[in-house]
């Protein structure tokens, strides 16, 4: 669908938020905390977390950090998007949902605060017990400080230039059976949180990544993909993704990131054992083998039957 950029606001050094509205002032599709949008930015598609109020169906808000190693998405937003311009979006889509829990611990690093903002709003509205530890390079680089300050002592700001890095040992050293941990930020933070949550009850940790996590895989073996609804069988060779092989056979699978992080290509598995190589599905979701992300994942069996 097409929206209009209503407003652009500097939230911190290098962080620009966009307010998006329907061109006819209609209500936008509903969403829940943790959801993201696909933004079509020239010839590329990028995913950004919704960080506004889900109750406000008149606008979406996203915030974009201008990254020095940008592949073009954040540069496009910062240099070319202005109020009044049209913008094509897909979604909302949510793979980072806020599950019911008596208590939450939110951990944010830098721009990773964005998907957590509506979660805090919901947890507060429901009267849940929660706290947020929010780290960044400096206070100047940390977005939405005034908005977060309204939550008082539940929020701890940890600018690294003043206080050093987040004390994850203090935050996560003692496993809690009644607490869900939600974390978003750069990969070093996510890896460190994963390590410290290894002894927590299964399912306690929920992560969202902005880039694919480093992983080592064995050599690619060829396999067949059977598209059950299309009645087409395609051979996937080494070094070729399932999505690319299917596109060569005129079977179109919606996809955006091609890195296994956005979930656009999520596909139901009917038969066979996927070789999960994504950075999105939870450990339980991968072990269930009911869905897979064919933009990066492969097959551990010679034949994989998909609902395509």
């Amino acid at each position: 669908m097409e929206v209009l950029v209503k407003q652009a606001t500097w939230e911190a050094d290098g962080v620009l938020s966009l307010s998006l509205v329907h061109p006819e002032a209609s209500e936008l599709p509903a969403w829940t905390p943790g959801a993201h949008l696909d933004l079509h930015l020239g010839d590329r598609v990028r995913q950004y977390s919704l960080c506004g109020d889900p109750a406000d169906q008149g606008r979406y808000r996203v915030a974009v950090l201008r990254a020095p190693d940008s592949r073009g998405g954040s540069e496009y937003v910062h240099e070319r998007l202005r109020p009044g311009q049209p913008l094509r979006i897909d979604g909302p889509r949510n793979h980072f949902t806020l599950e019911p829990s008596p208590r939450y611990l939110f951990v944010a690093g830098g721009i990773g605060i964005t998907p957590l903002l509506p979660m805090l709003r919901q947890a507060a509205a429901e009267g849940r017990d929660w706290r947020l530890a929010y780290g960044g390079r400096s206070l100047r680089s940390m977005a939405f400080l005034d908005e977060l300050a309204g939550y008082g002592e539940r929020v701890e700001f940890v600018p690294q230039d003043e206080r050093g890095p987040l004390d994850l040992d203090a935050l996560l050293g003692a496993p809690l059976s009644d607490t869900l941990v939600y974390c978003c930020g750069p990969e070093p933070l996510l890896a460190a949180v994963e390590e410290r949550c290894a002894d927590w009850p299964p399912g306690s940790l929920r992560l969202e990544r902005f880039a694919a996590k480093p992983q080592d895989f064995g050599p690619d073996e060829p396999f067949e993909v059977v598209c059950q609804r299309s009645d087409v069988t395609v051979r996937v060779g080494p070094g070729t993704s399932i999505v690319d092989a299917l596109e060569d056979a005129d079977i179109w699978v919606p996809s955006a990131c091609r890195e296994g992080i956005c979930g656009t290509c999520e596909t139901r598995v009917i038969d066979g054992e996927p070789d999960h190589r994504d950075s999105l599905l939870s450990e339980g979701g991968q072990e269930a083998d009911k869905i897979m992300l064919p933009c990066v994942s492969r097959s551990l069996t010679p034949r994989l039957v998909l609902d395509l």
Side-chain angles (χ1 to χ4, degrees), residues 201-222:
S204 295
L205 175 61
R206 315 295 167 91
L207 300 175
E208 180 160 79
R209 285 181 157 86
F210 295 134
K213 63 182 178 181
Q215 301 181 78
D216 293 323
F217 300 105
D220 290 349
E221 299 292 341

Side-chain angles (χ1 to χ4, degrees), residues 1-3 29 36-40 45-48 50 60 87-93 252 254-256 264:
M1 68 177 294
E2 187 172 274
V3 295
H36 70 260
L37 295 176
D38 295 342
L39 271 56
H40 292 253
V45 180
R46 297 291 184 265
Q47 293 74 43
Y48 296 103
L50 283 162
Y60 291 148
L87 178 66
R88 182 184 165 195
I89 65 171
D90 294 321
R93 188 178 297 108
W252 184 72
S255 61
T264 304

Side-chain angles (χ1 to χ4, degrees), residues 86-271:
L87 178 66
R88 182 184 165 195
I89 65 171
D90 294 321
R93 188 178 297 108
N94 198 341
H95 293 274
F96 191 45
T97 57
L98 185 66
E99 302 293 340
S101 176
R103 182 180 300 170
Y104 299 101
L105 172 60
F106 300 103
V107 182
I111 196 63
I113 189 62
T114 50
L116 303 184
L117 285 173
M119 294 186 181
L120 308 183
R121 183 187 296 271
Q122 179 172 320
E126 294 177 351
R128 307 286 185 175
D129 186 4
W130 64 271
R131 60 182 295 210
L132 165 70
Y134 178 19
R137 296 188 309 277
S138 67
L139 286 175
R140 290 174 56 88
S141 72
M142 297 167 66
F144 304 108
L145 294 183
D146 290 343
E147 186 172 323
L148 290 166
Y151 292 115
E153 294 182 356
R154 290 185 180 273
V155 177
E156 180 183 13
F157 300 108
V158 187
Q160 189 165 357
D161 61 346
E162 298 178 23
R163 299 185 51 187
L166 287 166
D167 188 349
L168 298 181
D169 290 330
L171 289 170
L172 302 166
L176 300 172
S177 60
D178 63 346
T179 300
L180 290 182
V181 180
Y182 281 79
C183 179
C184 186
E187 182 58 35
L189 172 64
L190 301 184
V193 169
E194 278 187 306
E195 179 182 352
R196 287 163 175 82
C197 285
D199 294 330
W200 282 56
S204 295
L205 175 61
R206 315 295 167 91
L207 300 175
E208 180 160 79
R209 285 181 157 86
F210 295 134
K213 63 182 178 181
Q215 301 181 78
D216 293 323
F217 300 105
D220 290 349
E221 299 292 341
F223 59 95
E224 285 187 341
V225 169
V226 179
C227 303
Q228 181 159 289
R229 285 189 284 117
S230 303
D231 194 24
V232 172
T233 299
V234 175
R235 182 182 184 275
V236 182
T240 301
S241 73
I242 295 176
V243 167
D244 287 340
L246 293 177
E247 287 182 351
D248 289 341
D250 295 325
I251 303 294
W252 184 72
V253 180
S255 61
C257 71
R258 302 282 178 129
E259 296 181 17
I261 58 173
C262 75
T264 304
C265 67
E266 180 179 292
T267 302
R268 187 169 71 93
V269 178
I270 297 173
D271 192 31

